[in-house]
Amino acid sequence: MRSLPTSFRHQHFVFSPFWGWLRRVRQSSAMPQLTEKEERAMHAVRNPFSAPLPTWAEQQEVSRGMERWAKLLRWAAHHCFPLLRLLMCFQWNAYPDGRAAVRAFRQLFPSEQQRLLCMSRAAFVATTSRRFRDQGVLFVGAFLPSVQMHAWVVEDGQLVDAGDKIWICYTPIALHG
Amino acid sequence: MIDQPYLSFYNHRTQQLQPDIWTELRQGLWRTFDIDQHLANEKQGFTQLHLWKPVLKDFTIVYPGFRWDAATQGLVEERFYPRLLEEASFDTVVKAAAEVFARYEGRRIGVHLSGGLDSSLVIALLRHLHIPFVPIGLASRRWEFRTERHIQELLATWGEDALLLEMDDFPFYTDLDRIPTGQIPDGGIKMNHTAAAMAEAFAERGVDIVFSGQGGDTLLVDAVPQEGAIEGFNIGNEFNFEWDAAVHYAPRGIELTSFFAEPTIIEQLTSLRRGQREDATKRWARQFFARILPRELAEWDYVADFFGTSMSGLELAKPLASRIIAEANALLPHPIFSPEGVEEFLETNVFAFDYHAYIAFCSKLSIATWLCGLKREGIIV
């Protein structure tokens, strides 16, 4: 995961990919070089009308193993971000693409909880979608100048989560691809 | 002081309805303002106004969309119950819109250009009917408004003499000491100077009738039963910007009205949506009107959140807001205006504000602004 240093009205922000927090800093840093996949994903985020709205995948089968994995990610996202980062190194290839993976995650937890599960949901997609390695980018964003954060996944230049209507307000501050 | 023809006041002592209470306010009625009850009322929500308890001694405020009922000695809602039309279609909606606009023939029409679906639909209908109009809106270069801005810049080309005012030039809450004073606290303290700037821009362009998209959220979102009676709509309460109309538009000779408040439009859209569940993203409307809407509104449902803008304004307005609250405490002491509370506010990171805490704070600020306004106008001496 790499930080995307951001500025907002003379304030500079940097995300810690290790600890998962957002800090105000005195000076801005240089933007990292992005890969072609990351550039494509960033283009979709900067230009929301460049890709169609995501659609829902069909109902998914969720194995006990995937359920445990989702719960582990949920715990890590809330209690230990460094652990979450470590878990994101694993790749299970359980679902054909991000749409299917996000549908599976949303089936596991009630809709009223989903608002607080964006990071674990995005991590679940990144670690279980077969397309993520080649085509996916996970973004962490902030609703600047607040430190409210959100996470979402873009695959093939398109958002994967039809249920996410708030990503549009969050400026990308980190990505993982 | 402003003229508020949309309000009236039932005087329980004389048992008469009055158009205003300025005399009584000068005589000290403001001292009886029940802050706790006002806050409790607001928590109930603005759709439950008829259940609000009185906040001024011997007076019940009669809000738009309500009337005083002598039999029940309380407020009664004035709801409009639309007929459900058997033959409603795109063409009948356009015909109804044409009839609405025809009433204003000979006048220069303006439209709020927010970049959202509701006002954009009004613009699209005017364009479809080849009726000239002046689109004016508030735009922002903030990240979260990039889709609204895109649509605003596109639709600006559909009208004439278009203008996009920059939101950053009018930070929210930063004119609290200049807001016109009404007879009761008003929640519209956030965007007073943006509303004034827009009204002035319309006036400069010779516009004398402005359509807003207010009410679209109700008509295009709420569920409509397939069978049985429709709940009806409180047009006066939900569909109009009465404060803006009275304070900013009427003094400039401009009528501000909502396109969606027209009974014929309500009937058309309600009939078309019969049997639909709640449609939070207005998907039906986007698809139904796709032939006249820009593709960006028909195929996407992006909506920005004003939270960031509101917080930025509040942060800038901290010194002013603190002063206003302290002055209010001197006029009508209350724990919500306490010096400790002011100190706490100054130290608060507003960007970490919980939404509910923010709403509660805005209620406090609107009361404080009102009290200081009464003092500034010499109502409180």
Side-chain angles (χ1 to χ4, degrees), chain A residues 8-9 11 24 45-53 143-148 165 167-172, chain B residues 142-144 146-147 150-151 168 281 296-297 299-309 312 349 351-353:
Chain A
F8 180 90
R9 313 260 172 87
Q11 295 180 74
R24 285 193 180 91
V45 168
R46 285 199 183 108
N47 302 280
F49 295 126
S50 65
L53 280 180
F143 196 159
L144 297 174
S146 83
V147 294
Q148 286 182 24
K165 298 296 181 188
W167 71 272
I168 194 83
C169 294
Y170 291 79
T171 305
Chain B
R142 293 174 75 116
W143 172 262
E144 62 267 32
R146 60 198 183 287
T147 52
H150 174 93
I151 289 164
D168 282 347
T281 60
E296 290 86 340
L297 279 171
E299 296 181 21
W300 287 270
D301 57 11
Y302 298 126
V303 177
D305 189 328
F306 275 80
F307 188 71
T309 317
S312 291
N349 174 9
F351 301 109
F353 244 171

Side-chain angles (χ1 to χ4, degrees), chain A residues 37 40 129-137 155-156 177:
Chain A
K37 177 181 74 160
R40 188 170 171 222
S129 161
R130 287 201 278 277
R131 288 194 71 79
F132 184 85
R133 187 190 293 274
D134 292 331
Q135 301 293 339
V137 176
E155 262 181 13
D156 296 305

